[in-house]
Each structure stands twice: as structure tokens, then as C-alpha cells.
Amino acid sequence: MKVLITGGSGFIGSHLADNLLALGEEVFVIDDLSTGSIKNVEKSQDNDRFHLVVDTILNEAVMNELVFKCDQIYHMAAAVGVKLIMNRPVETLETNVKGTEMILMLANRHKRKVLIASSSEVYGKIMDGENTRPLSEESDRLMGFTTKRRWAYACSKALDEFLALAYFEEKKLPVIIARLFNTVGPRQTAQYGMVIPNFVQKALIDKPITVFGDGSQSRSFTHIADVTYALIRLMGETKAVGQIFNVGNPEEVTIKDLAKLVKEMTGSASEIEYLPYEKAYGPGYEDMHRRCPDITRLKGLIGFKPRTDLKGIIRSVIDYYKS
Ligand code: UDP
């Protein structure tokens, strides 16, 4: 099979490319190397079933040829990371909205199956049922107002979902939506704010580990290998078409405990310090107190069970940064 991965030089896209190559597929990657890196696909380039196009997904002529050539599309290209979103909102909105528009329009032109990478950000800042239940695919969403810049990313991804579902319902385009919950692993950069690579990097050089807020907020982290496994299985399932799936690991940890765990696992002498949110990201930032996936739907369809627990996830990041 010929498979197109947009954003295939990024953290998630490059792991996906590795797995698809290992399965014997021919892989085409388009990446503008904005947050992706050529280093992530260095090894793949030795494989004659791997093809890299360095260009933007907004280049219609290039994209048209790639979509036409391929049987399936994984749309992973996006502006990601809270830091990037806070600092460069125009780029975030334009890449995420116009990029997905382009992919869906061309996938529809050539009738190609497409998996859209969405995000748990779309849920916004509440847990379901007054903060008690994990988030299921149909849980309500709550965003801060448009002056709260953080939600630009969530809204752009939500619009992508609306458009993908509209193409499915109106034009019968085979689309699948995967909502990813805090994916972590080797190759993830600390540059755009993600918490685990940040904590690990600081711990390894005995510099202060900075917890934003009071650290009582919690997250559920998922290992990259569990995510790519789920994405490939979803793409292969006819019943997944036209549906949204949470892809995550429900194991939860508070950020305060995460900092302690990273410190312990690295044997670091780092101090753990606390920084108010306004100082970390400025006034347009709001955090969500808890974000945990309900993965019943994914389990039901593909028997998904995350294989790597939190300690395994942290270990893989430590090993990556040490090497
Ligand atoms: N965070 C932190 N220190 C950092 C980076 C992030 O305390 O250096 C916190 C952040 O405020 C949030 C959590 O860690 O509560 C997860 O942040 P991340 O940006 O990784 O993901 P997201 O907020 O999208 O879940």
C-alpha cells in the first residue's frame, strides 16, 4: 500500500512512518520541517520505500499529486505545543484550519481514506459530570473566551473535526478522527512546552524543574508506541469510518507528582520550583485541572490496552535524552 503522512518528520508522524515501513508499506511524507526535524527520519531515508517531500501542506499542486498517488492519508501535520500556540497564534490557526481543509478537499477529489489527528484539547477545561468522569467522545466541551489564546488550538482542531465529519456525512468520504491525549516518547522536543521532555531535560542537568501553577492539575500520558499502534489499527478497521476515537492511557498523575517521579528516576539534584501560570505563559493562558480519557470505544473496536505505563514512558524519554 502507498501511505501519505502529513507532518511525517514530526514526533508522532515519524514514529508512524517507522511502523508503516516495518509493515512493508511504501511511505510518502510531506513536512515543512517547522516543528518536525530531518533527524527524525534520517534512518528511514535509507529505505527505498520511504519518500520525503519538504514542502507545506498548503501547496495544492504538490499535495494533489501526493494524495492521488497514495491509498491512505494520515493527517498529522499541525502547529502543536502550548508554547507555540501562545507565541504564534496566526501560524497555529492557519496551519491547522487551512491545512485540514486542503487535505479533506483533495482526499475527496480522489476518494482516499483519511485519518485526522485531533487532540484532547478539544474538550477544553472541564471533566465530564462535574469533574468526576473521564472524557468520552461525546462529552461536552468548555472553552475560555477568545481573548484566552490557549483555546485557539482547541478551536482549530474542533473545526477540523466538524469539517471531517461533514465530508463523511455529505460526501461519503471515508474519514476517521483520532483524539490524542498527551502523547510522549523519544523524539519529542521540549521546545514547544511539553511537560515530560521539559522535566527530563532539566533533571538530567540538575537545573530546576518548573511546575506551573500549584501542580495539583493532572494529566494522562500515552506512550508513542501505543498511539501509533492504535492509529494503524483504526485505519484498517472499516467500522472506524465516520467515527471519533479517544486514543490515550487513562493512568493519571498530578504534575507535582510527575516532577517528583522524574527527579527520582533520574537521580537528579534538581530543585522543584513553582511558577504562577501568568509568569509561564502570560495572561491568555488557562489550564485544565484534569484530563483523562474514557477509551471504551477504542477498546471495543480494536481491543486497545496501553502497554507502557507512566514509569515506562518516563524511562523511554530519559534514555532518549541520555543517548
Ligand atoms: N507544565 C509544567 N511545566 C512545564 C510544562 C508544562 O508544569 O515546564 C504543566 C502545564 O501547565 C500543564 C501540564 O504540565 O498543566 C501539561 O502541559 P503540556 O504543555 O505538556 O500539555 P497540555 O497542557 O496540552 O496537556
Side-chain angles (χ1 to χ4, degrees):
M1 199 128 55
K2 289 190 169 77
V3 181
L4 172 62
I5 307 174
T6 69
S9 297
F11 160 52
I12 303 178
S14 66
H15 283 281
L16 194 56
D18 290 348
N19 290 9
L20 289 165
L21 286 172
L23 289 169
E25 313 293 18
E26 184 162 3
V27 174
F28 292 80
V29 159
I30 179 159
D31 201 302
D32 65 0
L33 303 180
S34 53
T35 58
S37 155
I38 205 87
K39 254 184 97 178
N40 290 341
V41 291
E42 221 163 33
K43 281 203 187 114
S44 304
Q45 284 182 307
D46 297 336
N47 191 322
D48 56 14
R49 282 182 287 108
F50 180 84
H51 315 276
L52 172 66
V53 178
V54 178
D55 207 330
T56 160
I57 53 168
L58 300 179
N59 184 334
E60 186 174 339
V62 170
M63 281 304 298
N64 184 56
E65 201 185 315
L66 284 168
V67 171
F68 173 69
K69 210 175 339 198
C70 292
D71 307 292
Q72 299 178 336
I73 307 153
Y74 290 88
H75 177 41
M76 313 304 293
V80 289
V82 176
K83 205 161 158 185
L84 183 68
I85 287 139
M86 294 302 291
N87 295 341
R88 304 205 316 247
V90 173
E91 185 183 326
T92 304
L93 288 163
E94 291 198 345
T95 307
N96 295 1
V97 176
K98 288 187 191 167
T100 305
E101 263 177 28
M102 178 72 77
I103 307 302
L104 289 168
M105 185 267 288
L106 294 173
N108 186 54
R109 181 183 292 167
H110 303 294
K111 294 291 172 218
R112 299 293 188 253
K113 193 173 190 180
V114 51
L115 182 146
I116 304 280
S118 183
S119 164
S120 56
E121 275 276 315
V122 297
Y123 291 107
K125 55 184 174 178
I126 43 160
M127 288 293 286
D128 201 1
E130 291 166 358
N131 262 352
T132 52
R133 280 195 304 270
L135 298 156
S136 72
E137 285 82 354
E138 260 87 53
S139 294
D140 283 337
R141 307 164 46 229
L142 180 69
M143 304 289 129
F145 200 65
T146 46
T147 48
K148 302 285 181 200
R149 185 179 286 178
R150 188 219 167 107
W151 305 114
Y153 175 76
C155 290
S156 69
K157 283 290 176 183
L159 194 59
D160 290 353
E161 290 196 12
F162 275 121
L163 194 61
L165 292 173
Y167 266 99
F168 169 70
E169 276 149 28
E170 238 182 275
K171 304 186 188 285
K172 309 290 168 243
L173 180 71
V175 298
I176 300 162
I177 296 166
R179 282 190 191 144
L180 311 186
F181 281 70
N182 293 75
T183 307
V184 186
R187 295 182 193 158
Q188 186 175 41
T189 163
Q191 220 180 325
Y192 305 107
M194 281 80 166
V195 67
I196 292 188
N198 264 291
F199 283 4
V200 167
Q201 277 197 350
K202 295 286 161 51
L204 288 176
I205 52 169
D206 294 329
K207 287 268 159 66
I209 295 174
T210 311
V211 171
F212 301 158
D214 66 5
S216 66
Q217 71 272 30
S218 68
R219 290 293 185 276
S220 299
F221 296 97
T222 320
H223 191 256
I224 181 65
D226 286 323
V227 170
T228 52
Y229 169 82
L231 298 183
I232 293 170
R233 286 291 311 275
L234 282 175
M235 185 63 112
E237 279 290 340
T238 320
K239 283 190 189 143
V241 169
Q243 289 205 68
I244 300 169
F245 293 87
N246 283 342
V247 175
N249 181 344
E251 183 182 354
E252 286 182 85
V253 64
T254 64
I255 301 303
K256 195 196 313 186
D257 286 347
L258 178 71
K260 287 185 202 152
L261 192 57
V262 169
K263 185 172 149 88
E264 185 190 303
M265 288 177 69
T266 47
S268 171
S270 294
E271 298 283 321
I272 297 176
E273 60 177 29
Y274 291 82
L275 189 69
Y277 285 127
E278 316 79 74
K279 291 217 171 117
Y281 286 125
Y285 181 78
E286 277 187 309
D287 205 2
M288 67 282 303
H289 197 66
R290 189 181 166 213
R291 189 163 67 195
C292 175
D294 175 334
I295 53 169
T296 311
R297 187 177 287 179
L298 189 65
K299 257 189 199 157
L301 189 68
I302 64 165
F304 180 75
K305 193 169 178 288
R307 286 192 176 179
T308 308
D309 65 4
L310 181 63
K311 280 197 171 167
I313 292 171
I314 296 171
R315 171 65 48 212
S316 75
V317 177
I318 295 172
D319 291 348
Y320 174 71
Y321 278 111
K322 272 193 170 167
S323 71

